[in-house]
Amino acid sequence: MLIKSSVTLNKIKWRFIPLLSALFALFLSTSPVYAESLIVLSRQSGTYQKVAYSIQANLSSNTKIVTLQKLEHNNFNTTGFEHIIAIGSRAADRLYNRISPSQKLYASFLPRQTYQALLVSKKDQARIKNGTITAVYLDQPYARQLRLARLISPNANTIATALGPNSKHDLPLLETAAQQQQLQLNSTILKESDNPIHKLQPLIRNADLFLSLPDKSVFNRTTAKWILYISFRQRIPLIGFSQKYVEAGALAAVFSSPEQIGQQTAEIVQQAILGSRLPEAQHPRYFTVITNEKAARSLNIKIPTEDALTQQLMEQER
């Protein structure tokens, strides 16, 4: 009697195995599969680490953080990682042709001009054609910067800026952004051999606002000081491009923190993990406005609070 019962139970058990297998397969097909992501820092830097930690905090998948130097020592072994996130220009450049074409590359926290130059310099354009690369820029769109300028100075008619060998190609973008804010754009191109005082002084003197651009060939430490000095002497509000520039004397700036850029990068990776196509490279979505109250008092300008300016910019972009 016991033997017969045992045989019957075994038959029942074997009949349920196909059903259990089907249920398990259905569970796997409907459950999100989270691939591991590899974050590569261009170098061991506190700023890059902030971006990486923000990505880590905003991703549902497991992540590993390494420096580019360590990855090079391992001969760029990225096996097992479908999503590779390069923090900074150097990491993006080194990883472009050294990871599998099937792996997705996210370039984060690098200037737009640097990313575009990177794409042009690579002979292998497979990543662009296959849509396996995207980026989150470090710098702000010109339209946002000029909207801030208009909010700060509603009655301004002209805005001036200085371009360098890199940023001079962006003149059409700047002109379009200025026209949208009904501002006349006056610009000059600075060369390394130019005397910045001779070229900047009349430019700033004849403008209602001055916009500084993140072009290293123009805004080195010496030139930045002269721009701040001349704009202060001429009592012309200076719109900067970073928190440090505002702390040094610029009236205001809109910028994105490493944490904000990390959050945006993580959101793009998360969508790709869930099956979405990589979006086109993009400017920062999250940003903050900072102002210099001392500079505002010196210029006898009343401007809205930082929170109010940030909120107004956000509302204009919705």
Side-chain angles (χ1 to χ4, degrees), residues 9-309:
L9 287 173
N10 283 333
K11 288 182 178 179
I12 294 172
K13 180 177 70 174
W14 285 106
R15 286 175 183 172
F16 272 100
I17 285 178
L19 177 59
L20 291 172
S21 299
L23 290 172
F24 184 68
L26 179 63
F27 172 78
L28 288 178
S29 66
T30 56
S31 299
V33 179
Y34 295 121
E36 257 193 317
S37 304
L38 180 66
I39 302 174
V40 184
L41 310 181
S42 290
R43 64 178 184 275
Q44 195 69 38
S45 158
T47 304
Y48 289 152
Q49 287 176 327
K50 287 179 181 178
V51 179
Y53 294 152
S54 178
I55 294 172
Q56 214 171 34
N58 287 282
L59 270 182
S60 300
S61 62
N62 295 325
T63 57
K64 182 179 180 180
I65 301 174
V66 298
T67 62
L68 180 60
Q69 183 180 20
K70 185 174 181 180
L71 196 62
E72 287 173 336
H73 287 166
N74 292 332
N75 197 26
F76 289 92
N77 182 10
T78 59
T79 305
F81 297 99
E82 182 182 352
H83 306 273
I84 314 294
I85 306 163
I87 310 299
S89 307
R90 190 163 177 266
D93 179 68
R94 296 285 288 163
L95 286 165
Y96 188 95
N97 287 330
R98 288 173 174 81
I99 62 176
S100 167
S102 63
Q103 292 173 304
K104 295 180 175 65
L105 179 60
Y106 307 81
S108 181
F109 206 69
L110 77 172
R112 175 182 57 83
Q113 293 173 357
T114 302
Y115 176 73
Q116 292 179 341
L118 167 70
L119 298 185
V120 171
S121 68
K122 298 302 179 183
K123 296 180 180 179
D124 180 10
Q125 300 287 308
R127 291 204 170 277
I128 304 171
K129 294 177 182 177
N130 298 337
T132 57
I133 186 170
T134 189
V136 178
Y137 302 139
L138 172 62
D139 42 317
Q140 304 294 313
Y142 294 133
R144 183 179 295 158
Q145 290 176 295
L146 290 177
R147 277 195 289 268
L148 174 62
R150 174 56 76 196
L151 289 173
I152 287 174
S153 187
N155 299 320
N157 295 314
T158 59
I159 187 166
T161 192
L163 304 165
N166 296 323
S167 56
K168 68 180 181 180
H169 303 292
D170 284 349
L171 184 56
L173 296 175
L174 278 163
E175 289 175 336
T176 298
Q179 289 172 3
Q180 290 172 348
Q181 298 303 319
Q182 297 181 337
L183 287 167
Q184 177 184 329
L185 178 68
N186 300 328
S187 64
T188 189
I189 297 176
L190 282 180
K191 302 176 184 177
E192 291 184 4
S193 58
D194 287 336
N195 184 323
I197 301 176
H198 291 165
K199 297 202 75 170
L200 290 171
Q201 197 160 355
L203 184 70
I204 296 174
R205 184 192 306 124
N206 295 317
D208 297 320
L209 293 161
F210 187 86
L211 174 68
S212 58
L213 302 177
D215 188 325
K216 291 182 179 180
S217 58
V218 176
F219 292 98
N220 54 48
R221 186 173 297 181
T222 302
T223 308
K225 288 181 179 179
W226 277 115
I227 291 173
L228 285 166
Y229 174 74
I230 296 170
S231 64
F232 181 77
R233 286 290 302 270
Q234 300 292 337
R235 303 186 66 77
I236 302 300
L238 174 63
I239 308 299
F241 55 82
S242 68
Q243 184 174 2
K244 288 185 178 180
Y245 211 18
V246 174
E247 292 170 353
L251 179 61
V254 55
F255 70 98
S256 297
S257 69
E259 292 83 0
Q260 289 172 323
I261 292 179
Q263 178 184 349
Q264 183 174 344
T265 305
E267 290 172 353
I268 294 172
V269 176
Q270 187 68 44
Q271 289 299 313
I273 289 173
L274 296 175
S276 297
R277 290 179 57 84
L278 294 190
E280 292 185 0
Q282 54 194 249
H283 285 284
R285 184 184 307 128
Y286 307 110
F287 55 85
T288 304
V289 174
I290 184 172
T291 60
N292 187 320
E293 294 182 5
K294 184 178 179 180
R297 288 195 298 270
S298 299
L299 296 170
N300 195 26
I301 295 176
K302 291 183 178 180
I303 58 176
T305 65
E306 295 175 347
D307 289 343
L309 288 168

